[in-house]
Amino acid sequence: MTDHSRSLIMTEAQERAALIDVDRYDIAVDLRGLFEGEVLEATSTITFRCQRPGAGTFVDCVADVRSASLNGVELDASAVVDGRIHLSDLVSENVLVVSSAQSDTGSGAGILRTVDPSDKLVYVWTSFEPDAARRAWACFDQPDLKAPHRFSVSAPETWTVTSNDGPESVVDLTDGGRLWAFPDTPPLSTYVVVVNAGPFHELREERGGHSLGLYCRQSLKEYLERDAADLFAATEAGLAFFGDRFGMPFPQVRYDQVFVPNMGGAMENWGCVTWTDSVLFRSPPTHGQRAMVNSVLLHEMAHMWFGDLVTMRWWDDLWLNEAFASWAATWAAVGATPYTDGWATFLAGLKLTGYQMDMGPASHPIRGNVPDVAQAMANFDAITYVKGQSVLAQLVAYVGEEAFVAGLATYFREHAWGNTALADLMSAIGDAAGRDLGEWTSAWFDRAGTDTLRLTTSAAGGEIHAEGPGGDEPRPHRLDIASYRRAPGGLEPLGVTEVETSGARTTVLGLPDADLHLLNHRDLTFAAVRTDVGSLAHLLAAASKLPDPLSRALAVATAWDMLAKGELTADAFLICVLDVLSVERSAGVVEPFLAMALRAAEQWSDPASVPDRLARLADVAAELAKVPEHRSPALRTLAAAAASAEHFALLDEAARDNLDLAWRVLARRAALDAYDGAAVEALLERDPDPDAGVRALGVTAARPDDNAKEEAWKEAFGTRSIPASLPLQQFATCFWRPVQGELMVRWAHRYLDELEALPIGGMLAMGGLVRNMFPTTGDRAFVERARAMAAAEGTDPTVRTTLLTGADTIARVLRARGQDSP
Ligand SMILES: [Zn+2]
């Protein structure tokens, strides 16, 4: 029956919100059927008022409805159609009671039951965004019908249950198990409530007036304990920072974070964030991995205010929710945690994915129509998160941080526990700044594509030529230009020029005479920037001499943009980035630079040049591995690029006490057709990681051999046995070896075959498989076929976006390799 559920249409949501107010949800959940079976049972009691007695509406329930009564009258089974229970003859105060059972608890659609492969213990999580709460129990599943939720959860005796707050009581049940009673939540949207359960390992500390909890499955407790000090510290720092800047402390004592198996990403449930437990890295994490965890932690935390406390009225503002949380995470990382190079890390990593998507055919305005909830899911992409975050950063530069933060505090105060739209936020910020942001808002949020800013210089000074996408009017940009003169041993700074552009041409007053003008210094705006012709050669050749990691990241990111647009060869890019890496010491950018260098050498180079370019990268990585702080990421890159006997000797030595590296080295050897089955078996014996089998499968997947690829492929697309997130990413990296040429092109086509037949599961899990397994290589026919599939009627929006963006990248790669034009 679940296949026939209808997606809520915006106008239906508006009508329902105008008709009813939900007073409260009392939800009894029985998880005992999940201990050995697959059924989650729930009885949802909804107390709500109706504005127009006599009118009708519907409640959402995409589960097997066992009974339903409205105001004491049993509803007929025929009232249940397409995941909705029709309610008629409402009175002014109503009580609806629905008992239901959900047996689809294995696909990750809102609920996932997992059996840990190492100890057979069972864990259950829920994650409801955007509209999966209706799969667990009956509810009015739309963001603007907020209400207190009260959960009472029956669970097996050995399980711990976590929900939005701590339990009021836990008592034994006469018919087995224990009953966990939770207090009323504040008024919450249906998509941010949560119930997780299992024999969790729990750590708890009192910090800064809050009770902070961390949970994970038993088999991962050593990793949680290893990382707990960092997690507690970041949580305490984040709550203090946001509470202060937002003018409102987090209003609940308890703040829990639950690391769960086989989940993609993390989810901002009020007071109880769920995370993929693949972030509890089985090998000591690198700086980049710790920075990512810190960033996700702060992102979900920012949602407590922006998303949970104040919630978008409809999913068309979902982008704002995500963009804001992403911006706030980087802002807080730099302002309150050790990750002070956060903006450079963002530019060299994530921001490039925003530019990449925005230059391709899947680009869309940041703000768009979302006619039904199914469309909301299509907008979880790099435009939403990354470009959105970048444009908010530009807004901060445009109005000033002080006004921005003052506007936010007003916004949270005035709309606490309510629902808003973009205009509410923009008017609060505009009022604080004394600027009308109407035109700015539509210029930045309602149009797709990236502006290009070109600097020209003459004896008279400088001028910025701005060009909107497709020849459109450009947006206004607030940006800085840093100027440098070449000096013995480096670059001498000559000062920073502040600019606010308007229209196609803006004169830059006071620009000094210089050898190098760094356009978009401090990375304030979102634009493709091309500095003047005189500066360009210095920008590429002297990027390593720029004084700070953000400036070096800007130079490398500009070079990458030129590579993607056919203005620079992969070799020229590689020379630039390897030069920077030979001196780079900021942990915040070393890893993204290494990743870009690897892509340029392996994916963007013509196959004949790949071995030589990988060898050059491997040499740089081997040198960098001598710096203790960079040793771990440098060795990982070396393991991806190793070419010589010296490289392998270095790796074999380092891999002796590093299981993660040992897997990488085996995969590299396998990719070079030196698969060692006995070594794989021996490493499986040694590695206690419950996901070690996936690493072994990755080694198989790396082999330049059709049968091996087939064996690995079945686990990804057939049984779908590869856990989401990091294990899947590692697997995909092993599988797609661009240097394996024609063999890979055949598998790229196989990927498209699979997509045509893919069942649709939970948003995060499915999106992960489709995105992560996208080929890194292909041919012209692949590009055309992917585009045709994207254009076909009925293609899932998430799949469509992935196909369009991925095919665009492959087309650019083929051009860079000299194999084709895009
Ligand atoms: Zn988010």
Side-chain angles (χ1 to χ4, degrees), residues 268 299-300 303 322 325 385:
E268 66 268 25
H299 173 113
E300 306 308 334
H303 276 310
E322 295 311 333
Y385 284 84

Side-chain angles (χ1 to χ4, degrees), residues 732-746:
T733 305
C734 286
F735 189 93
W736 297 109
R737 314 294 350 154
V739 76
Q740 290 171 2
E742 284 306 307
L743 173 76
M744 288 279 75
V745 173
R746 284 203 303 282

Side-chain angles (χ1 to χ4, degrees), residues 88 94 271 440 482 498 534 594 599-600 663 670 712 777:
S88 52
N94 303 273
W440 188 97
E498 297 186 1
L594 283 168
R599 281 162 64 200
W663 284 117
T777 189

